[in-house]
Amino acid sequence: MAALGTFDGVHRGHAHLIGCAVELAAARGLPSAAVTFDRHPLALIRPESAPMPLTTNAEKEALMAALGLDVLIEQPFTRDFAAQTGEEFLAQLCGALHPAAIVIGYNHTYGRFGRGDAALLRTLAPRLHYEPVVLEPFVMDGAPVSSTRIRALLAAGDTKEAERLAGHALLLPERRTL
């Protein structure tokens, strides 16, 4: 099983997605894996627009391990990697990991210009031999939990609510050394 995502913050929505991959893997007696990046893609593509990190990479790894994840693959996000099409990315992933299922969130995109999406994941599944699993948003208080929502709360000074949605302490400005 492979969960795909940027997982910037490993918030409750991410935990739900990773938990789904862990459960699917356990039910089939297989290892669970998450494929993410060493940095937010915008840090390379449009650095001036890159969002502030919500966790360090080490914190991300520890949070995912605490969710029962067996393997974390932290892909270096380089210009060459960013140039891959969504189809190329999935073909490379399947060639390396042979996942029985690939789990993504409803709005996850991948590949050049973010053109790979849930529809492409479903389309390529028969050819690349995996089960596509696309999860609906994880909702709290009537709205999806997202890194964007958490960052907005932090910008408004509501650290307590941001950390409630995250489910853990965040990389706040006073802790930043990145």
Side-chain angles (χ1 to χ4, degrees):
M1 300 308 139
L4 304 183
T6 305
F7 301 121
D8 53 338
V10 193
H11 55 63
R12 291 181 192 272
H14 295 145
H16 175 68
L17 191 145
I18 292 163
C20 178
V22 168
E23 287 177 20
L24 284 170
R28 296 178 186 186
L30 297 171
S32 59
V35 179
T36 189
F37 309 116
D38 65 340
R39 57 185 156 167
H40 195 286
L42 285 176
L44 174 76
I45 297 167
R46 286 194 322 266
E48 69 284 356
S49 301
M52 65 178 187
L54 296 172
T55 60
T56 65
N57 287 344
E59 288 169 329
K60 180 191 293 192
E61 184 175 357
L63 289 163
M64 289 181 162
L67 295 168
L69 189 71
D70 295 311
V71 177
L72 175 62
I73 299 166
E74 202 170 62
Q75 170 67 44
F77 198 85
T78 64
R79 293 211 181 275
D80 286 341
F81 181 79
Q84 289 183 326
T85 65
E87 186 170 340
E88 290 168 337
F89 169 71
L90 289 176
Q92 180 183 12
L93 175 80
C94 290
L97 299 181
H98 308 288
I102 298 176
V103 183
I104 65 170
Y106 71 102
N107 63 350
H108 181 63
T109 60
Y110 50 91
R112 187 178 328 140
F113 305 119
R115 290 192 181 138
D117 58 10
L120 182 63
L121 186 78
R122 289 181 180 114
T123 298
L124 295 177
R127 183 167 53 115
L128 296 176
H129 311 291
Y130 59 82
E131 174 189 351
V133 179
V134 180
L135 299 182
E136 291 302 314
F138 182 81
V139 175
M140 286 179 69
D141 305 323
V145 175
S146 69
S147 299
T148 301
R149 182 177 171 195
I150 291 169
R151 285 187 182 93
L153 287 165
L154 290 173
D158 196 345
T159 301
K160 184 176 178 181
E161 181 64 7
E163 290 187 337
R164 184 179 78 83
L165 294 181
H168 57 82
L170 294 168
L171 184 59
L172 302 175
E174 59 271 16
R175 292 180 48 223
R176 257 176 233 296
T177 58
L178 302 177

